[in-house]
Amino acid sequence: KAGVTQTPRYLIKTRGQQVTLSCSPISGHRSVSWYQQTPGQGLQFLFEYFSETQRNKGNFPGRFSGRQFSNSRSEMNVSTLELGDSALYLCASSQLTGTSTDTQYFGPGTRLTVL
Amino acid sequence: AQSVTQPDIHITVSEGASLELRCNYSYGATPYLFWYVQSPGQGLQLLLKYFSGDTLVQGIKGFEAEFKRSQSSFNLRKPSVHWSDAAEYFCAVGARNNDMRFGAGTRLTVKP
């Protein structure tokens, strides 16, 4: 079974631009979560989608948004990029058969650099 | 609110030596606990997880972890470290609805 895939792997943008990152979960997984990883703040939860609905949201400004499609693929968008948005963005998928925590499997990440 | 503390930012061990990485959690109910490993520039790979049952959990690559409720700990161990184990290790606690919180990570260096 193929793992979680993320595209693109690397991205360079300038301040003020917007960016869209894509995540394809493991086949059969319906939950997709997004995390931001930086040296200063570590791994921080952005949001989680399940069946095309955002179920959880972390403490990030509204510039960060996401969506999930009917095939469970997910995209996240960051508008009006700031230098501090430079980070590794990780996507994770899980089967999530109920309301309890399920095991999350991570993709390789997208490295975003904002100049 | 749940939280995770990994007291050691960086640990150096010699190849062949034993390893223990510490993890303490704070959570009001029975936690779901995870250890992940991350190589430079890569995503996170699941090493092992604890949901319930036997408090000693076996994982991949020869790792194990023990859940101790009385100490709110979930320490990761390996009896003999290999050079390829050098990486960053993250402990995480999960609650309902996949709301996972990660520790700050412990970077492991392996000396030849």
Side-chain angles (χ1 to χ4, degrees):
Chain A
K1 204 184 259 191
V4 178
T5 58
Q6 292 186 245
T7 57
R9 290 294 310 278
Y10 302 92
L11 209 47
I12 299 175
K13 292 286 188 178
T14 56
R15 277 182 300 174
Q17 287 187 309
Q18 75 163 17
V19 67
T20 298
L21 312 182
S22 181
C23 172
S24 293
I26 292 171
S27 177
H29 286 194
R30 297 167 62 192
S31 168
V32 174
S33 298
W34 288 89
Y35 294 84
Q36 181 195 65
Q37 186 179 27
T38 60
Q41 299 298 317
L43 275 155
Q44 296 187 88
F45 172 74
L46 279 156
F47 29 66
E48 185 226 359
Y49 286 87
F50 178 74
S51 291
E52 302 179 65
T53 302
Q54 186 181 89
R55 294 187 339 139
N56 275 319
K57 190 177 190 308
N59 190 25
F60 278 82
R63 299 185 298 107
F64 291 82
S65 63
R67 59 178 175 167
Q68 187 180 34
F69 302 95
S70 58
N71 62 358
S72 294
R73 190 177 70 85
S74 177
E75 289 181 346
M76 68 162 281
N77 183 277
V78 188
S79 62
T80 319
L81 283 166
E82 301 177 359
L83 294 178
D85 296 334
S86 294
L88 181 68
Y89 289 88
L90 292 165
C91 166
S93 76
S94 66
Q95 288 183 309
L96 199 64
T97 54
T99 57
S100 59
T101 293
D102 199 353
T103 304
Q104 295 189 26
Y105 296 90
F106 284 79
T110 293
R111 171 74 63 187
L112 172 64
T113 302
V114 182
L115 303 176
Chain B
Q2 68 263 34
S3 65
V4 179
T5 301
Q6 293 181 248
D8 305 306
I9 296 173
H10 183 207
I11 284 183
T12 299
V13 299
S14 298
E15 191 169 15
S18 64
L19 171 70
E20 182 169 25
L21 302 182
R22 296 184 289 165
C23 172
N24 293 97
Y25 67 89
S26 172
Y27 185 60
T30 300
Y32 301 100
L33 296 161
F34 306 82
W35 274 100
Y36 286 88
V37 61
Q38 184 179 36
S39 298
Q42 301 299 313
L44 277 69
Q45 181 183 21
L46 179 70
L47 284 175
L48 48 78
K49 61 187 179 184
Y50 172 78
F51 279 12
S52 65
D54 194 346
T55 56
L56 185 61
V57 181
Q58 302 297 320
I60 62 171
K61 303 185 180 187
F63 286 93
E64 66 177 27
E66 186 170 12
F67 170 58
K68 292 185 177 180
R69 184 187 302 275
S70 61
Q71 298 177 19
S72 298
S73 70
F74 189 57
N75 294 349
L76 182 71
R77 300 193 295 248
K78 185 170 185 177
S80 177
V81 169
H82 188 261
W83 64 266
S84 60
D85 293 325
E88 186 135 24
Y89 291 80
F90 293 92
C91 180
V93 60
R96 294 186 59 185
N97 298 335
N98 266 354
D99 183 5
M100 285 181 67
R101 304 298 167 90
F102 286 83
T106 298
R107 184 160 63 90
L108 173 66
T109 298
V110 181
K111 290 191 303 184

